[in-house]
Amino acid sequence: MPTVKDILDACKPKPTIFARLPSPLAIAENHRHAAEVKSSIEKMTKGKRDMKYWAHKIIANPKNYPDISLKAGKRGIKWITGYK
């Protein structure tokens, strides 16, 4: 069994140890890196942010999506194209 002293020693605050962080990038490097990230994201998502793309993808593969997605895709195509 722990003694009262052991319990009190366990409750004493311990010194906080801070990890050393790397120095921040220069502003020009930060802007260059941000531009690279933005361009790579645009390349990966090119054409995939369009609502028609996703609606046609869902309608083309109805077994891969739940019924609510299929209904929303069909309704979205009707809304986008103006068909009734």
Side-chain angles (χ1 to χ4, degrees):
M1 293 290 293
T3 63
V4 175
K5 183 181 181 316
D6 295 335
I7 294 171
L8 291 174
D9 288 340
C11 293
K12 286 183 182 175
K14 296 186 169 96
T16 305
I17 300 171
F18 294 100
R20 185 169 189 84
L21 296 175
S23 62
L25 297 174
I27 293 175
E29 289 181 57
N30 192 12
H31 287 299
R32 184 183 53 77
H33 180 66
E36 288 175 6
V37 170
K38 185 178 177 181
S39 67
S40 64
I41 289 173
E42 287 175 355
K43 287 178 188 174
M44 289 187 291
T45 61
K46 187 175 182 179
K48 295 180 181 178
R49 291 186 286 178
D50 184 20
M51 290 178 13
K52 288 182 193 177
Y53 170 82
W54 290 108
H56 285 296
K57 185 176 178 182
I58 291 169
I59 293 168
N61 302 306
K63 294 181 181 179
N64 296 341
Y65 299 94
D67 290 336
I68 193 166
S69 297
L70 184 61
K71 289 177 186 176
K74 288 179 180 177
R75 190 171 49 236
I77 290 294
K78 287 180 184 176
W79 179 75
I80 291 168
T81 57
Y83 293 127
K84 293 186 179 187

